[in-house]
Amino acid sequence: TFGVKVETKTFGVEVEKKFMFDAETERRIAEALPLKGEVRIEDSYFDTPDFRLTTQDFWLRVRDGAWELKEPTPSREGGSAGMDVYNELTEERDIAAALERLLPGMDMTRGGPLEQRLFAEGCEAFCTLVSARRKYGAAGGVGVDLDVVVAPEGFSYAIGEVEVMAGDAGDVPRAEAEVDAFIERLAPPPGKVALGKVLALIKHARPEHFQALQRALGDKYPKLNQV
């Protein structure tokens, strides 16, 4: 969400970093990596009216019908500067249990779809983003996703992400170095802070929400105060 992510998967550790791109950057990517395909992605993000999830750095979304909660974990010792570490919950029962711990007084034990239970507890979608994604990369190597937001109307944004798989936690520094080296080769446009799509939309359309994030998370993520 904030630029760099280390995510533990069942088959390894995924290291990712965001970057801004333009037509020249994509030309360099296309020279280095094959185009794997293009997909359309729709994300809806949820929070309480007083931003109690996002100001604690918890990001709840549904992507094309599948739920996901990104929760922060303590930063690893010795990681790259600015490294943010998230766990990702994808089972609805795990998400419901985490929300009950995070938001005292929330009762997620009632039946029905997760969205219905969230609505009953005052947690609703605050934005929906539709993106066209182009995927570049080779099996077992560097992968690149380029997202261009196509909705909501009036919001134009493009963001890229480089990812490399590490075999285990001990292999993460090697993967981080590979990600940073690839982005340096791309020479992305200078002078722009690479915010994730949802943060960029919040800054664009929800100034009160963005200011709350700056107050709550600005010390942890200095880039929030650099945009």
Side-chain angles (χ1 to χ4, degrees):
T1 300
F2 287 92
V4 187
K5 180 176 73 175
V6 175
E7 179 187 348
T8 301
K9 300 281 193 178
T10 56
F11 48 84
V13 181
E14 189 175 73
V15 177
E16 302 176 344
K17 187 171 185 178
K18 290 180 171 57
F19 63 97
M20 305 302 292
F21 74 93
D22 56 17
E24 179 60 20
T25 313
E26 184 165 8
R27 184 190 66 77
R28 295 190 187 103
I29 294 168
E31 288 179 348
L33 299 170
L35 178 65
K36 296 171 64 177
E38 301 184 37
V39 295
R40 178 185 181 276
I41 297 170
E42 181 170 323
D43 295 315
S44 293
Y45 284 84
F46 290 72
D47 204 348
T48 62
D50 54 355
F51 324 127
R52 284 187 291 157
L53 285 178
T54 55
T55 54
Q56 295 184 74
D57 201 13
F58 283 74
W59 300 87
L60 176 63
R61 76 180 180 196
V62 59
R63 169 172 288 180
D64 299 329
W67 287 92
E68 178 183 277
L69 176 65
K70 294 170 64 174
E71 57 177 11
T73 64
S75 295
R76 291 179 304 99
E77 295 295 328
S80 294
M83 179 63 64
D84 311 326
V85 186
Y86 290 89
N87 287 330
E88 298 197 355
L89 306 180
T90 56
E91 295 292 335
E92 291 191 14
R93 64 179 180 274
D94 296 334
I95 292 172
L99 292 175
E100 285 192 335
R101 293 193 304 270
L102 182 64
L103 303 175
M106 176 175 277
D107 179 10
M108 296 295 291
T109 60
R110 71 189 75 200
L114 182 57
E115 185 168 2
Q116 181 178 314
R117 287 180 281 161
L118 289 168
F119 183 79
E121 297 294 330
C123 188
E124 302 180 28
F126 65 83
C127 76
T128 296
L129 285 160
V130 180
S131 307
R133 170 171 290 182
R134 292 185 294 280
K135 300 179 71 68
Y136 290 87
V142 173
V144 178
D145 291 340
L146 300 182
D147 286 358
V148 177
V149 175
V150 297
E153 186 176 351
F155 176 64
S156 177
Y157 198 66
I159 188 76
E161 187 172 78
V162 175
E163 67 177 43
V164 171
M165 290 301 301
D168 54 30
D171 190 37
V172 166
R174 187 274 312 166
E176 290 174 355
E178 190 171 348
V179 166
D180 285 336
F182 189 83
I183 290 178
E184 185 175 352
R185 282 171 51 203
L186 294 180
K192 293 184 178 181
V193 176
L195 290 178
K197 293 179 293 186
V198 65
L199 276 171
L201 179 59
I202 290 171
K203 180 177 182 294
H204 170 78
R206 296 169 58 86
E208 182 182 356
H209 191 170
F210 192 75
Q211 289 164 12
L213 291 172
Q214 288 178 310
R215 290 192 297 271
L217 301 174
D219 289 342
K220 183 179 180 182
Y221 301 112
K223 69 168 56 181
L224 281 174
N225 298 313
Q226 298 169 2
V227 293

